[in-house]
Amino acid sequence: MMKQPDSGKCKGCAASSDSKLEKLGVKLGQADFVVALAGNPNTGKSTVFNAVTGLRQHTGNWPGKTIARAEGGFSYNGKKFKLVDLPGTYSLLSATEDEEVARNFILFGRPDVTVVVIDPMRLERNLNLALQVLQITDKAIVCVNLMDEARAHGVSIDGRGLARDLGVPVVLAAARQGEGIDQLLTEIDDMANGRSSCTPHRLKYDIPTVQESIEELVAALTDAFPTMPHREWVALRLLEGDPRIIQAVSTGEIGTLGEDHVATGTISACGN
Ligand SMILES: Nc1nc2c(ncn2[C@@H]2O[C@H](COP(=O)(O)OP(=O)(O)OP(=O)(O)O)[C@@H](O)[C@H]2O)c(=O)[nH]1
Ligand SMILES: [Mg+2]
């Protein structure tokens, strides 16, 4: 069992940052930053989304509730943030229809910050997605939600140790009670504005032949899709034979996945 960290923030501290938060609902206008909420199903992403935007995106205690992107806004410290609530996904490699919405936005939607919401009672499975996200971005925050349930089950989380091992900020939260939301907003604000930097844990592909093949594919992808982000990730999927990615590359769709998702963003949440 891991040691309970001294996170430095508590339920009672919310007032200090509440004054900096303005929930904008769907009335956002031009945002300064885009923040994605990613995570396994049922970890509380929509609950975080609602707490911060004031919207009422559907939540429930069964998996798979969010099936399309929902967008809402908030202002914090004078900057406007668009928050994107994504369907739950176990992996960036899996591709049911809902998961593809999440994966396409994380990879090609160019979020300024990606918050990965994880369940402390299913750490191993949840960290799989977190580590995949850390492979592709150094602007990520891990939010360990459902901490009230974890405590009730005698599970404690060493937030500082996890942050050190992952190389990104970790926030412990119980979003339904508003616990940890203030600290999450501070971390998002710091990261979006470049006041915090991180060095995420990354796997290295140091087998020379694999590395050479990746470099060759990245060069070809750069020629074909000069503005596409995460070309190394796409190259790895091509090497693995991911059928959906092979199809998207051969049809050229891969170059527009991010644009599609920005253009067709769904505002499925309802205002207060
Ligand atoms: N006890 C407790 N329950 C929570 C907390 N956060 C969310 N929940 C509950 O967990 C359930 C799932 O929450 P959602 O916000 O819908 O989870 P989600 O990650 O959006 O789920 P998907 O859209 O299916 O991926 C709901 O019943 C929430 O009320 C929390 O911090 N503590
Ligand atoms: Mg949801």
Side-chain angles (χ1 to χ4, degrees), residues 21 26 39 44 54 69 88 90-91 102 104 110 113 151 160 162 180 182 193 197 223 230 242 244:
L21 169 67
V26 293
R69 250 174 72 186
Y90 291 108
S91 161
N104 285 347
R110 301 174 193 271
V113 176
R151 286 192 292 264
R160 285 184 180 164
L162 197 55
D182 54 339
N193 284 290
S197 60
D223 284 344
H230 306 306
D242 181 323
R244 182 69 187 94

Side-chain angles (χ1 to χ4, degrees), residues 23-237:
K23 300 174 185 182
L24 296 175
V26 293
K27 298 184 208 83
L28 175 65
Q30 188 67 33
D32 297 300
F33 301 111
V34 176
V35 180
L37 278 173
N40 284 189
N42 229 24
T43 54
K45 298 176 293 299
S46 299
T47 305
V48 171
F49 176 85
N50 292 348
V52 172
T53 61
L55 291 169
R56 279 178 277 147
Q57 169 74 348
H58 186 67
T59 60
N61 59 356
W62 65 93
K65 295 158 306 296
T66 303
I67 53 167
R69 250 174 72 186
E71 297 179 354
F74 67 92
S75 144
Y76 188 78
N77 262 343
K79 289 278 168 59
K80 283 184 174 181
F81 293 82
K82 176 160 87 175
L83 190 61
V84 181
D85 184 24
L86 295 169
T89 182
Y90 291 108
S91 161
L92 294 181
L93 310 182
S94 47
T96 64
E97 221 171 291
D98 309 347
E99 287 183 312
E100 209 168 293
V101 171
R103 136 169 153 172
N104 285 347
F105 191 79
I106 295 165
L107 279 155
F108 305 113
R110 301 174 193 271
D112 295 291
V113 176
T114 302
V115 176
V116 187
V117 183
I118 68 172
D119 177 346
M121 285 159 299
R122 295 172 182 82
L123 259 193
E124 194 174 331
R125 190 172 72 181
N126 280 244
L127 283 175
N128 181 41
L129 177 71
L131 289 170
Q132 289 179 4
V133 171
L134 297 190
Q135 281 295 115
I136 58 156
T137 179
D138 52 9
K139 294 227 165 189
I141 295 165
V142 169
C143 173
V144 186
N145 191 37
L146 300 154
M147 280 305 300
D148 56 323
E149 282 196 15
R151 286 192 292 264
H153 286 87
V155 174
S156 56
I157 297 292
D158 177 1
R160 285 184 180 164
L162 197 55
R164 196 177 48 240
D165 291 347
L166 295 175
V168 296
V170 169
V171 176
L172 305 186
R176 204 159 66 179
Q177 288 83 353
E179 185 184 328
I181 296 294
D182 54 339
Q183 195 191 347
L184 181 61
L185 289 171
T186 304
E187 294 291 359
I188 291 171
D189 185 36
D190 283 349
M191 190 163 281
N193 284 290
R195 287 191 297 269
S196 63
S197 60
C198 47
T199 44
H201 173 95
R202 293 236 162 101
L203 296 175
K204 297 267 181 304
Y205 298 93
D206 50 8
I207 304 165
T209 47
V210 174
Q211 199 52 49
E212 274 165 33
S213 305
I214 291 172
E215 280 164 22
E216 259 175 54
L217 281 167
V218 166
L221 287 165
T222 307
D223 284 344
F225 309 104
T227 60
M228 181 182 74
H230 306 306
R231 291 188 279 269
E232 186 164 316
W233 183 92
V234 174
L236 277 164
R237 300 293 79 74

